[in-house]
Amino acid sequence: MPSEQKLTVAIIGAGIVGLCTALEVQRDGHDVVIIEPDEAGGRQAASYGNGTWLNPGSVLPMSTPGLWKQVPGFLLDPNGPFIIRWRHLPSLAGWLIRFVLAGRTWQQIETCATQRYWLSRTTAQEHAALALEAGRPELIRRNGLMFIYPAQADIDAENRAWRLRQTLGIRFRKVETAELRQRVPELSDAYTLGMQVDDGGQVVDPGAYCDALFRLALSRGAMHKKARATGFSFNGNRLSAVLTDGGAVPCDRAVIAAGVHSRDLAAKAGDDVPLISERGYHVVIPDPGFDLPTGLMPSDGKMGVIWTPQGLRLAGQVELASIDAPPNWQRAKILLNYVRRMFPALAARTDAVEKNVGSDNYWMGHRPSTPDGLPCIGAASGSPDIVHAFGHGHVGMIQAPASGKLVAAMIAGRDPGYDAAPFSARRFAQ
Ligand SMILES: Cc1cc2nc3c(=O)[nH]c(=O)nc-3n(C[C@H](O)[C@H](O)[C@H](O)COP(=O)(O)OP(=O)(O)OC[C@H]3O[C@@H](n4cnc5c(N)ncnc54)[C@H](O)[C@@H]3O)c2cc1C
């Protein structure tokens, strides 16, 4: 056992980040209690309904230079990939200002991309290893991911981002029209070129995958406390228990991995983190009649189009509004319009799904987002025994295995092999 002392570690939240962390902490020989009121990776979790993309090249934060010029458009265009609900603007203003400031220069973006790459570079490989351990290797596909474009000019518009990926060593290649037609014959002529990220992959069914990882942790001795964490109990600044609505859970260490709901817990551990929900949607077209050779992302729709056992899943949209605001299924209908453009043969099936608005084929979830595009991973200010592991925004599936390893290293006092200081929640206190 690498750590000298056997500890009891409470993991708060059984989304993908909490689950990967639980498994890594177990590898160090510690006892684990998973505190989760709902199903692991159930519909309440972002880890259930996401775009399934495991893209090592997802290194650029959302906020990039010149974005502020587009904000008025985001407020006005009801059909774009990004919308701010007017009513919620006052409560989001502080986060938005930090968001725009975080992406003012390309130097900031390059620094951020390098830090994100530490958490994403081996994502598909690491998920494949976990799925194998869980006895469900078929849940991870490793056949790359493809961005698709109407024309060369659309690739050129993203040149800077592709060059940055190349500098970091991310492998990708251009897919010419003939190959695109041959690989995705169902795709409309509106898209003529692709950019394939070779080391990318896909979690075929994220809900089932989380469930498999949860069962794996239980089979290795983890306990499940079916309750909601509400706070902490301390002796001085040393942790004695996590408080829940089902009683106290005595423990030596706690990891806050409650996704978008981590903000209040982090505050109780001494850190005021600007964490909001970037709400996103998915809609599923059952029985599309074809599989996809790889996950697709149309450059105009900025959404994941992926095959899942439930059907063709279209996942995307960013909607800034409060966590509690009801879903606006109009956002999901925008996704349906893109699929009509991409796959004309699916028009009748798409119409049928559209008629059943709000059915199980529709989902809305919360990306737990910080304004600077980096997660919070590291010891809490209020106690060295509480470790933050939240705020992964658009890339929590991608970054979860490396985040779990980093948290385990921090608990064990091991050097993770890179500088993890940029992930500290203390950056927001400066
Ligand atoms: C539309 C959409 C598309 C996306 N596409 C991708 C993608 O393609 N690739 C990618 O990498 N990422 C993607 N993401 C982001 C990704 O889904 C998230 O970053 C990731 O799932 C966050 O995982 P998490 O474990 O932090 O949070 P969650 O999955 O939300 O899990 C948090 C868990 O904590 C529990 N919890 C909450 N409060 C408490 C409490 N008080 N006590 C105990 N438990 C609690 C919840 O019940 C939940 O189970 C997407 C997100 C969305 C919405």
PDB file of all heavy atoms in Angstrom, residues 63 89 96 98 102 107-108 119 240 246 255 257 312 377 400 402:
ATOM      1  N   SER A  63     -14.106  30.370 -23.133  1.00  0.00           N
ATOM      2  CA  SER A  63     -13.880  31.807 -23.298  1.00  0.00           C
ATOM      3  C   SER A  63     -12.592  32.042 -24.074  1.00  0.00           C
ATOM      4  O   SER A  63     -11.511  31.712 -23.608  1.00  0.00           O
ATOM      5  CB  SER A  63     -13.788  32.459 -21.919  1.00  0.00           C
ATOM      6  OG  SER A  63     -13.457  33.816 -22.047  1.00  0.00           O
ATOM      7  N   LEU A  89     -29.722  37.128 -15.852  1.00  0.00           N
ATOM      8  CA  LEU A  89     -28.484  37.870 -16.131  1.00  0.00           C
ATOM      9  C   LEU A  89     -27.885  38.529 -14.884  1.00  0.00           C
ATOM     10  O   LEU A  89     -26.683  38.402 -14.646  1.00  0.00           O
ATOM     11  CB  LEU A  89     -28.739  38.897 -17.241  1.00  0.00           C
ATOM     12  CG  LEU A  89     -27.513  39.585 -17.830  1.00  0.00           C
ATOM     13  CD1 LEU A  89     -26.528  38.566 -18.376  1.00  0.00           C
ATOM     14  CD2 LEU A  89     -27.921  40.549 -18.936  1.00  0.00           C
ATOM     15  N   LEU A  96     -19.936  35.974 -15.554  1.00  0.00           N
ATOM     16  CA  LEU A  96     -19.695  36.302 -16.970  1.00  0.00           C
ATOM     17  C   LEU A  96     -18.494  37.234 -17.143  1.00  0.00           C
ATOM     18  O   LEU A  96     -17.711  37.072 -18.075  1.00  0.00           O
ATOM     19  CB  LEU A  96     -20.941  36.957 -17.568  1.00  0.00           C
ATOM     20  CG  LEU A  96     -21.991  35.979 -18.090  1.00  0.00           C
ATOM     21  CD1 LEU A  96     -23.295  36.711 -18.397  1.00  0.00           C
ATOM     22  CD2 LEU A  96     -21.498  35.242 -19.337  1.00  0.00           C
ATOM     23  N   ARG A  98     -15.867  37.429 -15.126  1.00  0.00           N
ATOM     24  CA  ARG A  98     -14.665  36.604 -14.927  1.00  0.00           C
ATOM     25  C   ARG A  98     -14.401  35.730 -16.156  1.00  0.00           C
ATOM     26  O   ARG A  98     -13.264  35.505 -16.558  1.00  0.00           O
ATOM     27  CB  ARG A  98     -14.844  35.683 -13.723  1.00  0.00           C
ATOM     28  CG  ARG A  98     -14.653  36.336 -12.370  1.00  0.00           C
ATOM     29  CD  ARG A  98     -14.905  35.270 -11.333  1.00  0.00           C
ATOM     30  NE  ARG A  98     -14.892  35.728  -9.973  1.00  0.00           N
ATOM     31  CZ  ARG A  98     -13.851  35.658  -9.139  1.00  0.00           C
ATOM     32  NH1 ARG A  98     -12.714  35.183  -9.557  1.00  0.00           N
ATOM     33  NH2 ARG A  98     -13.961  36.069  -7.902  1.00  0.00           N
ATOM     34  N   ALA A 102     -11.062  35.808 -18.412  1.00  0.00           N
ATOM     35  CA  ALA A 102     -10.183  34.627 -18.426  1.00  0.00           C
ATOM     36  C   ALA A 102      -9.683  34.306 -19.829  1.00  0.00           C
ATOM     37  O   ALA A 102      -8.678  33.605 -19.987  1.00  0.00           O
ATOM     38  CB  ALA A 102     -10.914  33.427 -17.837  1.00  0.00           C
ATOM     39  N   GLN A 107      -2.355  34.146 -25.139  1.00  0.00           N
ATOM     40  CA  GLN A 107      -1.385  33.609 -24.178  1.00  0.00           C
ATOM     41  C   GLN A 107      -2.120  32.929 -23.011  1.00  0.00           C
ATOM     42  O   GLN A 107      -1.723  31.857 -22.555  1.00  0.00           O
ATOM     43  CB  GLN A 107      -0.500  34.729 -23.670  1.00  0.00           C
ATOM     44  CG  GLN A 107       0.738  34.176 -23.002  1.00  0.00           C
ATOM     45  CD  GLN A 107       1.636  35.276 -22.464  1.00  0.00           C
ATOM     46  OE1 GLN A 107       1.439  36.449 -22.746  1.00  0.00           O
ATOM     47  NE2 GLN A 107       2.602  34.886 -21.685  1.00  0.00           N
ATOM     48  N   GLN A 108      -3.222  33.560 -22.555  1.00  0.00           N
ATOM     49  CA  GLN A 108      -4.028  32.929 -21.494  1.00  0.00           C
ATOM     50  C   GLN A 108      -4.578  31.587 -21.974  1.00  0.00           C
ATOM     51  O   GLN A 108      -4.597  30.599 -21.239  1.00  0.00           O
ATOM     52  CB  GLN A 108      -5.219  33.830 -21.122  1.00  0.00           C
ATOM     53  CG  GLN A 108      -4.877  35.042 -20.278  1.00  0.00           C
ATOM     54  CD  GLN A 108      -6.108  35.913 -20.099  1.00  0.00           C
ATOM     55  OE1 GLN A 108      -6.692  36.393 -21.068  1.00  0.00           O
ATOM     56  NE2 GLN A 108      -6.525  36.111 -18.864  1.00  0.00           N
ATOM     57  N   LEU A 119      -4.932  16.796 -17.899  1.00  0.00           N
ATOM     58  CA  LEU A 119      -6.072  15.997 -17.424  1.00  0.00           C
ATOM     59  C   LEU A 119      -6.787  15.250 -18.548  1.00  0.00           C
ATOM     60  O   LEU A 119      -7.726  14.496 -18.295  1.00  0.00           O
ATOM     61  CB  LEU A 119      -7.076  16.914 -16.697  1.00  0.00           C
ATOM     62  CG  LEU A 119      -6.538  17.664 -15.470  1.00  0.00           C
ATOM     63  CD1 LEU A 119      -7.615  18.569 -14.879  1.00  0.00           C
ATOM     64  CD2 LEU A 119      -6.022  16.694 -14.409  1.00  0.00           C
ATOM     65  N   SER A 240     -13.772  15.471  11.078  1.00  0.00           N
ATOM     66  CA  SER A 240     -14.161  14.259  11.815  1.00  0.00           C
ATOM     67  C   SER A 240     -15.303  13.527  11.110  1.00  0.00           C
ATOM     68  O   SER A 240     -15.412  12.295  11.227  1.00  0.00           O
ATOM     69  CB  SER A 240     -14.537  14.585  13.260  1.00  0.00           C
ATOM     70  OG  SER A 240     -15.582  15.525  13.291  1.00  0.00           O
ATOM     71  N   GLY A 246     -28.977  12.083   6.414  1.00  0.00           N
ATOM     72  CA  GLY A 246     -29.226  10.765   6.997  1.00  0.00           C
ATOM     73  C   GLY A 246     -28.254  10.477   8.130  1.00  0.00           C
ATOM     74  O   GLY A 246     -27.990   9.305   8.427  1.00  0.00           O
ATOM     75  N   VAL A 255     -13.964  14.075  -0.099  1.00  0.00           N
ATOM     76  CA  VAL A 255     -13.760  14.629  -1.435  1.00  0.00           C
ATOM     77  C   VAL A 255     -15.091  15.204  -1.900  1.00  0.00           C
ATOM     78  O   VAL A 255     -16.111  14.498  -1.905  1.00  0.00           O
ATOM     79  CB  VAL A 255     -13.286  13.536  -2.422  1.00  0.00           C
ATOM     80  CG1 VAL A 255     -13.103  14.125  -3.822  1.00  0.00           C
ATOM     81  CG2 VAL A 255     -11.991  12.889  -1.937  1.00  0.00           C
ATOM     82  N   ALA A 257     -17.268  16.020  -4.700  1.00  0.00           N
ATOM     83  CA  ALA A 257     -17.408  15.711  -6.139  1.00  0.00           C
ATOM     84  C   ALA A 257     -18.891  15.699  -6.484  1.00  0.00           C
ATOM     85  O   ALA A 257     -19.378  14.773  -7.129  1.00  0.00           O
ATOM     86  CB  ALA A 257     -16.749  14.372  -6.451  1.00  0.00           C
ATOM     87  N   LEU A 312     -29.718   7.556 -31.686  1.00  0.00           N
ATOM     88  CA  LEU A 312     -28.783   8.629 -32.039  1.00  0.00           C
ATOM     89  C   LEU A 312     -28.968   9.759 -31.036  1.00  0.00           C
ATOM     90  O   LEU A 312     -30.057  10.316 -30.926  1.00  0.00           O
ATOM     91  CB  LEU A 312     -29.097   9.116 -33.455  1.00  0.00           C
ATOM     92  CG  LEU A 312     -28.018   9.913 -34.159  1.00  0.00           C
ATOM     93  CD1 LEU A 312     -26.811   9.037 -34.473  1.00  0.00           C
ATOM     94  CD2 LEU A 312     -28.561  10.511 -35.449  1.00  0.00           C
ATOM     95  N   ILE A 377      -9.439  21.308  -8.126  1.00  0.00           N
ATOM     96  CA  ILE A 377      -8.925  20.060  -7.548  1.00  0.00           C
ATOM     97  C   ILE A 377      -7.822  20.465  -6.579  1.00  0.00           C
ATOM     98  O   ILE A 377      -6.854  21.121  -6.969  1.00  0.00           O
ATOM     99  CB  ILE A 377      -8.352  19.114  -8.634  1.00  0.00           C
ATOM    100  CG1 ILE A 377      -9.387  18.854  -9.729  1.00  0.00           C
ATOM    101  CG2 ILE A 377      -7.910  17.783  -8.005  1.00  0.00           C
ATOM    102  CD1 ILE A 377      -8.882  18.036 -10.894  1.00  0.00           C
ATOM    103  N   ALA A 400     -12.159  12.996 -15.971  1.00  0.00           N
ATOM    104  CA  ALA A 400     -12.425  12.280 -14.713  1.00  0.00           C
ATOM    105  C   ALA A 400     -11.313  11.301 -14.302  1.00  0.00           C
ATOM    106  O   ALA A 400     -10.900  11.307 -13.128  1.00  0.00           O
ATOM    107  CB  ALA A 400     -13.773  11.564 -14.792  1.00  0.00           C
ATOM    108  N   ALA A 402      -8.061  11.219 -14.892  1.00  0.00           N
ATOM    109  CA  ALA A 402      -6.865  11.934 -14.412  1.00  0.00           C
ATOM    110  C   ALA A 402      -7.183  12.710 -13.141  1.00  0.00           C
ATOM    111  O   ALA A 402      -6.329  12.822 -12.245  1.00  0.00           O
ATOM    112  CB  ALA A 402      -6.353  12.880 -15.498  1.00  0.00           C
TER     113      ALA A 402
END
